[in-house]
Amino acid sequence: MSENKLADRSDYSEEQVSGATVIAQALKIQDVKYMFGVVGIPVTEIAIAAQQLGIRYVGMRNEQAACYAASAVGYLTGRPGVCLVVSGPGLVHALGGMANANMNCWPLVVIGGSSERSQETMGAFQEFPQVEACRLYSKFSAQPSSIEAIPSIIEKAVRSSIYGRPGACYVDIPAEFVNLEANVNSIKYVECCLPPPVSMAEMSAVFTAASLIRNAKQPLLIIGKGAAYAQAEEEIRKLVERCKLPFLPTPMGKGVVPDSHPNCVAAARSKALQFADVIVLFGARLNWILHFGLPPRYRPDVKFIQVDICAEELGNNVKPAVTLLGDIKAVIRQLLEQFIKAPWQYPPESNWWKTLREKMKSNKASSQELASKKSLPMNYYTVFYHVQEQLPRDCIVVSEGANTMDIGRTVLQNYLPRHRLDAGTFGTMGVGLGFAIAAAMVAKDRNPGQRVICVEGDSAFGFSGMEVETICRYNLPIILLVVNNNGIYQGVDRDSWKEMLKFGDATTMVPPMCLLPNAHYEQVMTAFGGKGYLVQTPEELQESLKQSLMETAKPSLINIIIEPQGARKSQDFHWLTRSNM
């Protein structure tokens, strides 16, 4: 072949492309928009390449928080965020975020650098069996065999993260691949994977479910975060309003139908669960959050109708009366058709509604009584009622902590779907700041000016408090509320602390749940240029929150001192088995 003919060949090129660029380009083609991570050897070039292609990179202070942030993006957008980590310890730190994403069923892709393959088994720098380790925490875990294989592996990771039950996926990148170059024409990119296919339930099961609902004496709909993720809010609201059914949201199901809706019975949660005879589960699992669906929390003869995308979830812990396997939005449309063809409404003046409304009224009165107490330090209810008065209706609320999260969800209202993030199915502490950063990044693109309110216990804040620097570095519109009771569950006041130390040191005399009394967490924020407030009265809380909401140019942290021994009002049923403490 002559030299001129060789030069004319369209597939011939001298141009080279690095592995880092191939990874970034493959992610871009798969419509990945956000990457969170902690860079270092060998992944720094991947982050730089991602930025050059327009993927937003957020540098975090810890891989766990980075992984929490990437998973929250998956929940909020339906498209996985990427967590980029270094080899060995960096990947190990991210495993907590991967486990949390898998348990919550949120799409996530983790990309981890690994030691060079030629040094395998030789004691290479940060050598660790990463692909094998990640199989316990993910739906898919693989290492490309070459630079040319990277695009297909990344496409499969993204697709696997969103198809079926969403979850975490891992792609391992050997160190030598990052800067190794290949001929640009040898790289075959895979086009963006299609949205997940929509499946529908069997019509015979839909007929049976509709009949059970019509004949129920004491029906209840439970709206889980699976329904929120499926963006089924319009269909669920239509079903609730057409059939006049009471509904109960799970913590992250709040807002699918507004908490202010007259059919929301969250304030009578225990009564609703204990006495309902037909319960429809929309993307909610019968795990610890819903007391496994078992007596005495439920009637022994209760009939469950389970709606879920995952076949393996159907029948867990109970034998359901009906199972509706499919996309939640599509299945609810099928149900709606039954009630459109043959209109039916649950009687609004039934004894069931009367029972629920009386319990709601009683519980709200108890909460109001606690909130109205004038004594100082404040209690949880006083704090949350004052916060609720000022929260923008469209704000995203992130909440974590023990009493802080549990009491907060009963008082802080959500009016829009996917506007509440919390510790979730895995009960993970430390998620708050990562979730808040992810929410702020998504809000910046979708709804500039939207505020993110992160409500944390002081213990929860400590897990990832250095991410305050990340918040300030990117100037994110986040307001952190640290509800400070000096401990895990409960603490002690400053005088009691000093008294205990008279008889020994803190390791032997201070209860394990206690943290340093009245710690100045607000100074963590001011150290990085944000606004910090220390508040001890309702008036100070109101004023600091007002100023924080007006100040859109800076993030802020409000350190709220409350009663160290403060707790929630008495419960008919605890969520968890209580320890002796």
Side-chain angles (χ1 to χ4, degrees), residues 73-92:
V73 161
Y75 172 67
L76 293 169
T77 69
R79 207 75 189 172
V82 166
C83 177
L84 179 68
V85 298
V86 300
S87 50
L91 186 276
V92 171

PDB file of all heavy atoms in Angstrom, residues 73-92:
ATOM      1  N   VAL A  73     -27.285  12.025  45.112  1.00  0.00           N
ATOM      2  CA  VAL A  73     -27.543  12.505  43.751  1.00  0.00           C
ATOM      3  C   VAL A  73     -28.354  11.472  42.977  1.00  0.00           C
ATOM      4  O   VAL A  73     -29.289  11.810  42.242  1.00  0.00           O
ATOM      5  CB  VAL A  73     -26.212  12.811  43.024  1.00  0.00           C
ATOM      6  CG1 VAL A  73     -26.406  12.858  41.510  1.00  0.00           C
ATOM      7  CG2 VAL A  73     -25.659  14.144  43.502  1.00  0.00           C
ATOM      8  N   GLY A  74     -28.003  10.196  43.140  1.00  0.00           N
ATOM      9  CA  GLY A  74     -28.746   9.136  42.464  1.00  0.00           C
ATOM     10  C   GLY A  74     -30.209   9.136  42.843  1.00  0.00           C
ATOM     11  O   GLY A  74     -31.094   8.972  41.987  1.00  0.00           O
ATOM     12  N   TYR A  75     -30.494   9.312  44.133  1.00  0.00           N
ATOM     13  CA  TYR A  75     -31.886   9.351  44.589  1.00  0.00           C
ATOM     14  C   TYR A  75     -32.614  10.578  44.075  1.00  0.00           C
ATOM     15  O   TYR A  75     -33.765  10.486  43.630  1.00  0.00           O
ATOM     16  CB  TYR A  75     -31.909   9.335  46.120  1.00  0.00           C
ATOM     17  CG  TYR A  75     -33.274   9.552  46.721  1.00  0.00           C
ATOM     18  CD1 TYR A  75     -34.286   8.604  46.565  1.00  0.00           C
ATOM     19  CD2 TYR A  75     -33.557  10.695  47.460  1.00  0.00           C
ATOM     20  CE1 TYR A  75     -35.542   8.796  47.129  1.00  0.00           C
ATOM     21  CE2 TYR A  75     -34.804  10.897  48.020  1.00  0.00           C
ATOM     22  CZ  TYR A  75     -35.799   9.945  47.853  1.00  0.00           C
ATOM     23  OH  TYR A  75     -37.036  10.147  48.396  1.00  0.00           O
ATOM     24  N   LEU A  76     -31.958  11.712  44.115  1.00  0.00           N
ATOM     25  CA  LEU A  76     -32.621  12.968  43.745  1.00  0.00           C
ATOM     26  C   LEU A  76     -32.843  13.104  42.246  1.00  0.00           C
ATOM     27  O   LEU A  76     -33.793  13.760  41.822  1.00  0.00           O
ATOM     28  CB  LEU A  76     -31.795  14.156  44.244  1.00  0.00           C
ATOM     29  CG  LEU A  76     -31.706  14.321  45.767  1.00  0.00           C
ATOM     30  CD1 LEU A  76     -30.652  15.346  46.133  1.00  0.00           C
ATOM     31  CD2 LEU A  76     -33.063  14.714  46.345  1.00  0.00           C
ATOM     32  N   THR A  77     -31.975  12.502  41.442  1.00  0.00           N
ATOM     33  CA  THR A  77     -32.055  12.700  39.990  1.00  0.00           C
ATOM     34  C   THR A  77     -32.436  11.458  39.203  1.00  0.00           C
ATOM     35  O   THR A  77     -32.822  11.559  38.041  1.00  0.00           O
ATOM     36  CB  THR A  77     -30.703  13.203  39.441  1.00  0.00           C
ATOM     37  OG1 THR A  77     -29.731  12.154  39.531  1.00  0.00           O
ATOM     38  CG2 THR A  77     -30.209  14.425  40.210  1.00  0.00           C
ATOM     39  N   GLY A  78     -32.297  10.268  39.810  1.00  0.00           N
ATOM     40  CA  GLY A  78     -32.551   9.039  39.074  1.00  0.00           C
ATOM     41  C   GLY A  78     -31.381   8.599  38.217  1.00  0.00           C
ATOM     42  O   GLY A  78     -31.452   7.581  37.531  1.00  0.00           O
ATOM     43  N   ARG A  79     -30.303   9.352  38.243  1.00  0.00           N
ATOM     44  CA  ARG A  79     -29.087   9.026  37.497  1.00  0.00           C
ATOM     45  C   ARG A  79     -27.941   8.972  38.496  1.00  0.00           C
ATOM     46  O   ARG A  79     -27.821   9.863  39.344  1.00  0.00           O
ATOM     47  CB  ARG A  79     -28.812  10.111  36.460  1.00  0.00           C
ATOM     48  CG  ARG A  79     -28.046   9.641  35.241  1.00  0.00           C
ATOM     49  CD  ARG A  79     -28.917   8.839  34.319  1.00  0.00           C
ATOM     50  NE  ARG A  79     -28.126   8.206  33.260  1.00  0.00           N
ATOM     51  CZ  ARG A  79     -28.631   7.328  32.412  1.00  0.00           C
ATOM     52  NH1 ARG A  79     -29.898   6.987  32.499  1.00  0.00           N
ATOM     53  NH2 ARG A  79     -27.886   6.793  31.473  1.00  0.00           N
ATOM     54  N   PRO A  80     -27.078   7.961  38.436  1.00  0.00           N
ATOM     55  CA  PRO A  80     -26.088   7.816  39.509  1.00  0.00           C
ATOM     56  C   PRO A  80     -25.092   8.965  39.557  1.00  0.00           C
ATOM     57  O   PRO A  80     -24.642   9.463  38.524  1.00  0.00           O
ATOM     58  CB  PRO A  80     -25.380   6.502  39.159  1.00  0.00           C
ATOM     59  CG  PRO A  80     -25.556   6.364  37.682  1.00  0.00           C
ATOM     60  CD  PRO A  80     -26.915   6.931  37.399  1.00  0.00           C
ATOM     61  N   GLY A  81     -24.755   9.390  40.763  1.00  0.00           N
ATOM     62  CA  GLY A  81     -23.584  10.204  40.957  1.00  0.00           C
ATOM     63  C   GLY A  81     -22.383   9.279  41.016  1.00  0.00           C
ATOM     64  O   GLY A  81     -22.519   8.066  41.229  1.00  0.00           O
ATOM     65  N   VAL A  82     -21.194   9.833  40.815  1.00  0.00           N
ATOM     66  CA  VAL A  82     -19.973   9.034  40.866  1.00  0.00           C
ATOM     67  C   VAL A  82     -19.156   9.429  42.085  1.00  0.00           C
ATOM     68  O   VAL A  82     -19.004  10.622  42.387  1.00  0.00           O
ATOM     69  CB  VAL A  82     -19.125   9.229  39.591  1.00  0.00           C
ATOM     70  CG1 VAL A  82     -17.715   8.685  39.775  1.00  0.00           C
ATOM     71  CG2 VAL A  82     -19.790   8.530  38.414  1.00  0.00           C
ATOM     72  N   CYS A  83     -18.658   8.436  42.788  1.00  0.00           N
ATOM     73  CA  CYS A  83     -17.706   8.652  43.875  1.00  0.00           C
ATOM     74  C   CYS A  83     -16.346   8.172  43.391  1.00  0.00           C
ATOM     75  O   CYS A  83     -16.198   7.010  42.991  1.00  0.00           O
ATOM     76  CB  CYS A  83     -18.143   7.895  45.120  1.00  0.00           C
ATOM     77  SG  CYS A  83     -16.981   8.036  46.494  1.00  0.00           S
ATOM     78  N   LEU A  84     -15.375   9.070  43.407  1.00  0.00           N
ATOM     79  CA  LEU A  84     -14.023   8.761  42.938  1.00  0.00           C
ATOM     80  C   LEU A  84     -13.091   8.643  44.138  1.00  0.00           C
ATOM     81  O   LEU A  84     -12.966   9.591  44.929  1.00  0.00           O
ATOM     82  CB  LEU A  84     -13.529   9.860  41.997  1.00  0.00           C
ATOM     83  CG  LEU A  84     -12.124   9.700  41.427  1.00  0.00           C
ATOM     84  CD1 LEU A  84     -12.069   8.527  40.459  1.00  0.00           C
ATOM     85  CD2 LEU A  84     -11.671  10.986  40.738  1.00  0.00           C
ATOM     86  N   VAL A  85     -12.443   7.487  44.274  1.00  0.00           N
ATOM     87  CA  VAL A  85     -11.591   7.263  45.447  1.00  0.00           C
ATOM     88  C   VAL A  85     -10.266   6.651  45.034  1.00  0.00           C
ATOM     89  O   VAL A  85     -10.133   6.025  43.968  1.00  0.00           O
ATOM     90  CB  VAL A  85     -12.279   6.340  46.480  1.00  0.00           C
ATOM     91  CG1 VAL A  85     -13.551   6.972  46.995  1.00  0.00           C
ATOM     92  CG2 VAL A  85     -12.572   4.962  45.885  1.00  0.00           C
ATOM     93  N   VAL A  86      -9.276   6.819  45.909  1.00  0.00           N
ATOM     94  CA  VAL A  86      -7.966   6.208  45.681  1.00  0.00           C
ATOM     95  C   VAL A  86      -8.011   4.753  46.123  1.00  0.00           C
ATOM     96  O   VAL A  86      -9.007   4.263  46.649  1.00  0.00           O
ATOM     97  CB  VAL A  86      -6.857   6.981  46.424  1.00  0.00           C
ATOM     98  CG1 VAL A  86      -6.797   8.428  45.952  1.00  0.00           C
ATOM     99  CG2 VAL A  86      -7.072   6.921  47.936  1.00  0.00           C
ATOM    100  N   SER A  87      -6.887   4.083  45.931  1.00  0.00           N
ATOM    101  CA  SER A  87      -6.802   2.654  46.221  1.00  0.00           C
ATOM    102  C   SER A  87      -6.771   2.367  47.717  1.00  0.00           C
ATOM    103  O   SER A  87      -6.574   3.258  48.542  1.00  0.00           O
ATOM    104  CB  SER A  87      -5.547   2.081  45.554  1.00  0.00           C
ATOM    105  OG  SER A  87      -4.425   2.890  45.870  1.00  0.00           O
ATOM    106  N   GLY A  88      -6.969   1.112  48.063  1.00  0.00           N
ATOM    107  CA  GLY A  88      -6.819   0.647  49.445  1.00  0.00           C
ATOM    108  C   GLY A  88      -7.716   1.350  50.434  1.00  0.00           C
ATOM    109  O   GLY A  88      -8.943   1.223  50.369  1.00  0.00           O
ATOM    110  N   PRO A  89      -7.130   2.122  51.364  1.00  0.00           N
ATOM    111  CA  PRO A  89      -7.943   2.786  52.397  1.00  0.00           C
ATOM    112  C   PRO A  89      -9.015   3.701  51.827  1.00  0.00           C
ATOM    113  O   PRO A  89     -10.103   3.814  52.397  1.00  0.00           O
ATOM    114  CB  PRO A  89      -6.898   3.592  53.184  1.00  0.00           C
ATOM    115  CG  PRO A  89      -5.605   2.912  52.929  1.00  0.00           C
ATOM    116  CD  PRO A  89      -5.689   2.359  51.543  1.00  0.00           C
ATOM    117  N   GLY A  90      -8.715   4.374  50.714  1.00  0.00           N
ATOM    118  CA  GLY A  90      -9.724   5.253  50.109  1.00  0.00           C
ATOM    119  C   GLY A  90     -10.961   4.472  49.721  1.00  0.00           C
ATOM    120  O   GLY A  90     -12.097   4.895  49.987  1.00  0.00           O
ATOM    121  N   LEU A  91     -10.768   3.325  49.098  1.00  0.00           N
ATOM    122  CA  LEU A  91     -11.895   2.475  48.719  1.00  0.00           C
ATOM    123  C   LEU A  91     -12.596   1.910  49.951  1.00  0.00           C
ATOM    124  O   LEU A  91     -13.830   1.877  50.024  1.00  0.00           O
ATOM    125  CB  LEU A  91     -11.394   1.361  47.805  1.00  0.00           C
ATOM    126  CG  LEU A  91     -12.388   0.394  47.147  1.00  0.00           C
ATOM    127  CD1 LEU A  91     -12.784  -0.748  48.044  1.00  0.00           C
ATOM    128  CD2 LEU A  91     -13.634   1.118  46.619  1.00  0.00           C
ATOM    129  N   VAL A  92     -11.813   1.493  50.945  1.00  0.00           N
ATOM    130  CA  VAL A  92     -12.405   0.936  52.170  1.00  0.00           C
ATOM    131  C   VAL A  92     -13.299   1.975  52.854  1.00  0.00           C
ATOM    132  O   VAL A  92     -14.393   1.660  53.333  1.00  0.00           O
ATOM    133  CB  VAL A  92     -11.304   0.439  53.131  1.00  0.00           C
ATOM    134  CG1 VAL A  92     -11.896   0.068  54.488  1.00  0.00           C
ATOM    135  CG2 VAL A  92     -10.603  -0.768  52.530  1.00  0.00           C
TER     136      VAL A  92
END
